[in-house]
Amino acid sequence: MAQVEATTERIVASDADTVFDAVADYSGTRSKLLPEQFSEYEVREGGDGEGTLVHWKLQATSKRVRDCLMEVTEPTDGELVEKDRNSSMVTTWRVTPAGEGRARVVITTVWNGASGIGGFFERTFAPKGLARIYDAMLARLAAEVEK
């Protein structure tokens, strides 16, 4: 099994604290950021950053649906880590200042991919598909915090 990684980033025209608060707001803002690939979104515990437990289904392709139950931690300032209880998938959101009134948001997801030919295709295509999904989320985030 090889590790698969997908990373996407965007500069948002809002300060880092405001952007991080929006990203960490699972009971409010976060659901507004989700494109059509997400369904059954439900906050099960917490709702604001560290200690949140949130569920969703992610349909990355027409045939592949992941049932995700994410535990949220905040290991450092400006960083949220979502660990899936149902798989090896871990998504890290990093929000850092990027100049006056701007923030850089980087989303990185890693997981243990399949082996063999299936793993080759997963490592080749999954990061691109996930990047498209994250681009949509980051565009919605920008629209939300740049109001």
Side-chain angles (χ1 to χ4, degrees), residues 23-93:
V23 170
D25 181 15
Y26 290 88
S27 60
T29 306
R30 184 59 85 89
S31 64
K32 298 176 189 176
L33 309 182
L34 303 177
E36 62 278 359
Q37 292 88 352
F38 290 84
S39 64
E40 299 183 30
Y41 181 87
E42 176 189 19
V43 175
R44 295 192 177 167
E45 294 175 18
D48 185 24
E50 178 94 28
T52 296
L53 182 64
V54 63
H55 171 266
W56 60 70
K57 287 192 177 176
L58 172 59
Q59 184 162 1
T61 68
S62 61
K63 296 178 182 172
R64 180 75 169 123
V65 179
R66 279 186 183 262
D67 188 346
C68 302
L69 184 58
M70 310 302 272
E71 292 180 348
V72 180
T73 59
E74 292 184 36
T76 62
D77 285 348
E79 183 178 68
L80 281 175
V81 177
E82 302 167 344
K83 292 183 181 176
D84 188 7
R85 286 186 179 175
N86 299 330
S87 73
S88 62
M89 187 165 69
V90 177
T91 299
T92 303
W93 292 72

Side-chain angles (χ1 to χ4, degrees), residues 89-138:
M89 187 165 69
V90 177
T91 299
T92 303
W93 292 72
R94 285 185 185 84
V95 180
T96 55
E100 179 99 18
R102 294 162 49 96
R104 171 177 280 108
V105 183
V106 180
I107 308 170
T108 303
T109 297
V110 295
W111 68 94
N112 296 327
S115 57
I117 191 71
F120 168 78
F121 284 106
E122 183 178 20
R123 288 186 304 279
T124 302
F125 297 109
K128 293 174 185 164
L130 206 47
R132 281 191 297 278
I133 293 168
Y134 288 159
D135 282 339
M137 289 179 75
L138 290 173

